[in-house]
Amino acid sequence: MAEPFDLVVIGAGPGGYECAIKAAQLGLKVACVEKNETLGGTCLNVGCIPSKALLHASELFDEAGHAFAGMGIEIPAPKINVKQLIAFKDEAVEGNTKGIEFLFKKNKIEWVKGLGEIVGTGKVKVGERVLETKNIVIATGSDVAKLPGIEIDEKTIVSSTGALTLAKVPERLLVIGGGVIGLELGSVWGRLGAKVQVVEFLDAILPGMDGEVVKNFTRILKKQGFDFKLGSKVTKVEKTKTGLKVSVEPAKGGDTTVLEADVVLVAVGRTAYTGGLGLETVGVATDKRGRVVTDGSFKTNVDGIYAVGDVIAGPMLAHKAMEEGVALAERLAGHYGAVNYDVIPGVVYTAPEVASVGKTEEQLKEAGVEYNVGKFPFTANGRAKANKTTEGFVKIIADKTTDRILGVHIIGANAGELIQEAVVAMEFAGSSEDIARMCFAHPTLSEAVKEAALAVTGLPIHM
Ligand code: NAI
């Protein structure tokens, strides 16, 4: 392809590949540099997609073992074939990464294979080749955060990557970090038979989520067999002949307890990945946490260099990166593009799922905003009763004066799909009354959203 390019995107994760595709759709000549053998970044290769394949399969396994008999479906006790399970997951990954390859070809985006290094304004070196371009987008994503002294070997001491390819179900899985990864992957192996212990530094799991949701969700997970050691930190993991010895201390200091495990999953967050990018050479500024500093329109401090996704500030979520990539491509092509950071949903894909968008009660209290809350439990929803998925509730928080929806938090089956109704309403600056007056199909789990909206200023029908 003749150079120069209009745009060279470094990194083909969700932020990078969507930026490349949208820019190409809008007529720009685009190359995307990716060092991995496949496109799609962390999300498609070792994150969102493979974990969802394992969550789906393990949930069906769990249902077959526990819920089928109650529905009159009589089958022998299910057995798990881990090799086939991993192959099922790999197939899902391949289907998705190949899909991006197809989209690159379709949109005439050149995939330049190798590590991209910015060697000057408008210059990206990949191996022996130097790409000339008008604009550079850094979309290099993030990497697993490490704990000092605990070496990840991806066999018995694993990150999320290793936890997607365990050769067998561990008898005892110890998870360090009660965040999204710890709870999702803990759920996978827990459903398949592992005894799961979670050591969390803070006094609650899922920091930043609505407190009431966290309290309920913790209870649900305990019922599923999760054992939580909250307010605790892991100081050492030792390998012995019989497994791993994990030293745990109270976060505030105190006596050490030694726990035993077969596999330890380190899931204490992720850090911006800028290895080998050459940011110092061109003087791109980073913050204290190593993230590329951008202004409100994804520009770095160096002209012609932009950044999106996990490598900049904000929630490390694939869909946040995607929106940023698209908005930036639109801007580079001379159009208008923006991201509404107030309305970015977050989903934990456990069973039940946990989903939220907007503000939590805690955040609103801190900001001194007055609000009303409407809640509706799935125990009172007809479809949830029929499906026997009655755990959880929908909670809608709306401004006390204007009734504008400020936050929606859901625990329940399909919460990750239901939350999108709230996203749409909030994007259009909707009020709880707007939702309460809409017609919802019956019988659906969605009706719990309508009933929660009715509960904000009045009374739900089914309670
Ligand atoms: P996280 O930030 O969600 O959770 C990490 C947890 O580890 C926190 O609760 C933190 O308090 C705890 N922690 C930190 N240091 C610790 C220590 N020394 N000992 C014990 N606990 C400690 O990070 P996680 O789960 O690793 O996920 C990484 C990123 O990937 C997150 O930004 C997450 O949002 C994203 N992700 C999103 C998913 C989704 O949207 N469904 C799925 C998986 C990951």
Side-chain angles (χ1 to χ4, degrees), residues 285-334:
T286 52
D287 66 14
K288 284 200 298 264
R289 292 165 63 181
R291 300 176 298 193
V292 174
V293 178
T294 53
D295 67 1
S297 52
F298 316 110
K299 276 186 191 159
T300 70
N301 59 317
V302 178
D303 276 351
I305 304 183
Y306 303 81
V308 295
D310 282 9
V311 79
I312 69 171
M316 288 184 167
L317 295 171
H319 44 278
K320 173 259 195 190
M322 289 169 165
E323 290 308 307
E324 290 180 339
V326 168
L328 173 55
E330 287 172 329
R331 282 168 173 267
L332 293 175

Side-chain angles (χ1 to χ4, degrees), residues 52 147 176-182 184 199-202 207 232-234 267-270 316-317 347-349:
K52 262 73 266 172
L147 278 177
I176 312 178
V180 193
I181 292 183
E184 287 188 355
V199 180
E200 165 57 49
F201 188 81
L202 301 173
S232 305
K233 61 180 178 200
V234 171
V268 294
R270 298 182 63 86
M316 288 184 167
L317 295 171
V347 180
V348 189
Y349 296 90

